[in-house]
Amino acid sequence: MKFLAITLIVHRPDPVTGVQKPTHDRFREVVDNALLAEELGFDGFGVGERHERPFISSSPTVVLSHIAALTRRIRLFTAVTTLSLLDPVRAYEDYATLDHLSGGRLELIIGKGNGAAQRELFHVTPEDQWERNAESYEVFRQIWRQDRVTAETRFRPPLKDAEVWPRPLQQPVRVWHGSATSKESVDLAARYGDPLFSANVTNPIEPYAELIRYYRERWEFYGHDPSDIAVGAGTAGLYVARTSQEAVEAYRPIFEGTLAFQQQAGLPVVFETLEDFVERSSALIGSPQQIIDKVHRYHDQFGHTVLHLHADASGLNETQHRDSLELFQSEVASVLRHEIPDPPFAWGPVLPVEPSTEEPAHV
């Protein structure tokens, strides 16, 4: 199993202290968390893309390029790239450049996105958002694979024998399809034989498990080998401590502060108590063994081989945050890496096969 640390770069007051960091300090925190993730042995670091409050993750390519310059090993993910809002040609140019600068460490998780404010900002309607996402992905995919592209499009000017530069380093970049509620996103992933990444954050396990089952059905419908399926899944929170009692009590003020924010903002509340949140959400809060057991319970339903965790402290103090991540890596990830398989592809750059220089054998 592989492990990602992911941030959506939420910028709002700390749920425990009520203090909101300056924007500059929040970006510095994201970079520091990426460096910590590489230091501790995480396999990837992801940055979201949102164009509305309370997020400041509107330019993931810029943030990931800065992180790429400071790291050497960790793979760099988008979480998610909102292709429904973007020109696929411009998105390709940005991401191909980032891929070269990072030495082929880029992976994309794409999605149509959500949130009314960002739709309005880009003049996208709920009715056409899915179609925009699908069209943009198909053009993006074509550009990555072909030196010249012709495409009849509805939502941007058509392309005719167009060249787009720079040409890619990874051939092609791996694209995961992020899915929270949409069967259309799941079907698009299955149609092209791409991996799926389940959000798995807001609700209990059932709706996410249903979408993943649908993905597997559609994968086989489109004629792909079931052994090539790769599924990733998110988590709703993380705090690992030596005992469950210590973990729950440390996390209680964070949960209560987050719950108060949701109620004040008029957001739907799914888990009304911390105990329910720990039991029925995807949050990993408890002792190492409890977390190992919970990941296995989800794996029984999802068959996932990649897991993402919160990169942000999100109410934990600096010591708690680092101690939790260190304990996760030393006593949780070390076990799960052994017990749950990796994705069915190499965890590295997708580069063309070099032609053999050996002389053919004479018979």
Side-chain angles (χ1 to χ4, degrees):
M1 180 169 249
K2 300 295 187 183
F3 300 94
L4 317 180
I6 283 183
T7 178
L8 302 182
I9 322 186
V10 177
H11 192 224
R12 66 186 183 209
D14 183 285
V16 176
T17 67
V19 175
Q20 180 165 318
K21 294 182 177 182
T23 300
H24 174 83
D25 292 352
R26 183 68 182 97
F27 279 123
R28 183 68 251 173
E29 183 179 49
V30 170
V31 174
D32 289 344
N33 284 334
L35 296 176
L36 178 61
E38 177 159 273
E39 175 192 338
L40 295 181
F42 279 85
D43 302 291
F45 188 86
V47 174
E49 180 183 340
R50 295 291 290 270
H51 300 268
E52 60 185 345
R53 291 176 182 264
F55 306 93
I56 52 173
S57 51
S58 57
S59 298
T61 50
V62 176
V63 178
L64 287 171
S65 291
H66 187 64
I67 292 169
L70 300 174
T71 56
R72 291 294 176 266
R73 176 194 57 79
I74 200 165
R75 291 193 67 74
L76 306 172
F77 281 73
T78 63
V80 301
T81 295
T82 51
L83 277 180
S84 66
L85 309 179
L86 306 178
D87 182 322
V89 174
R90 191 70 185 94
Y92 166 84
E93 292 171 336
D94 285 344
Y95 282 115
T97 301
L98 168 55
D99 194 44
H100 278 279
L101 293 174
S102 68
R105 288 187 283 146
L106 176 66
E107 304 211 17
L108 272 70
I109 307 175
I110 67 161
K112 67 177 178 58
N114 52 35
Q118 65 179 10
R119 281 198 305 266
E120 293 171 3
L121 188 64
F122 289 90
H123 296 278
V124 174
T125 69
E127 292 74 26
D128 68 18
Q129 191 170 14
W130 159 248
E131 292 178 352
R132 286 176 178 271
N133 181 75
E135 178 182 288
S136 291
Y137 173 62
E138 287 162 356
V139 173
F140 183 93
R141 178 185 175 89
Q142 192 176 351
I143 295 172
W144 209 282
R145 287 165 171 79
Q146 299 176 15
D147 291 340
R148 294 179 179 272
V149 175
T150 296
E152 293 296 328
T153 51
R154 289 178 55 201
F155 301 108
R156 60 145 288 126
L159 298 171
K160 184 175 181 180
D161 201 27
E163 294 181 287
V164 188
W165 298 92
R167 297 312 301 147
L169 176 59
Q170 292 193 88
Q171 299 186 16
V173 68
R174 182 174 297 113
V175 177
W176 302 68
H177 295 247
S179 169
T181 60
S182 169
K183 282 191 172 183
E184 290 87 351
S185 295
V186 167
D187 187 82
L188 187 67
R191 185 189 321 161
Y192 285 107
D194 293 332
L196 182 74
F197 217 108
S198 172
N200 191 40
V201 169
T202 306
N203 297 300
I205 192 172
E206 290 80 10
Y208 304 114
E210 181 180 351
L211 278 175
I212 292 171
R213 286 192 293 270
Y214 181 72
Y215 169 67
R216 293 179 182 276
E217 292 170 4
R218 299 304 290 172
W219 181 278
E220 294 195 38
F221 172 82
Y222 287 115
H224 304 303
D225 186 341
S227 66
D228 291 335
I229 285 177
V231 174
T235 55
L238 174 72
Y239 187 61
V240 193
R242 288 293 173 189
T243 68
S244 60
Q245 294 84 356
E246 179 186 349
V248 168
E249 288 313 305
Y251 204 85
R252 189 173 300 280
I254 298 170
F255 176 82
E256 292 174 349
T258 303
L259 180 63
F261 172 83
Q262 291 174 332
Q263 293 170 333
Q264 183 179 8
L267 300 173
V269 174
V270 178
F271 307 102
E272 296 184 348
T273 68
L274 174 59
E275 288 70 23
D276 189 36
F277 181 67
V278 171
E279 176 62 27
R280 294 197 306 120
S281 83
S282 62
L284 302 177
I285 300 166
S287 67
Q289 189 58 54
Q290 285 176 310
I291 290 173
I292 290 168
D293 292 343
K294 189 169 190 178
V295 173
H296 271 292
R297 290 200 303 273
Y298 272 78
H299 179 72
D300 289 343
Q301 294 288 317
F302 293 172
H304 60 310
T305 53
V306 180
L307 184 71
H308 90 49
L309 310 167
H310 287 203
D312 300 315
S314 303
L316 299 170
N317 63 43
E318 186 175 338
T319 300
Q320 288 174 320
H321 180 49
R322 184 180 182 104
D323 288 351
S324 173
L325 291 176
E326 287 182 341
L327 192 56
F328 179 88
Q329 280 291 348
S330 63
E331 297 195 18
V332 177
S334 59
V335 174
L336 294 173
R337 288 183 194 278
H338 175 71
E339 295 179 345
I340 296 176
D342 284 343
F345 42 71
W347 196 259
V350 183
L351 300 177
V353 177
E354 294 291 337
S356 174
T357 57
E358 296 182 3
E359 292 293 329
H362 295 284
V363 294

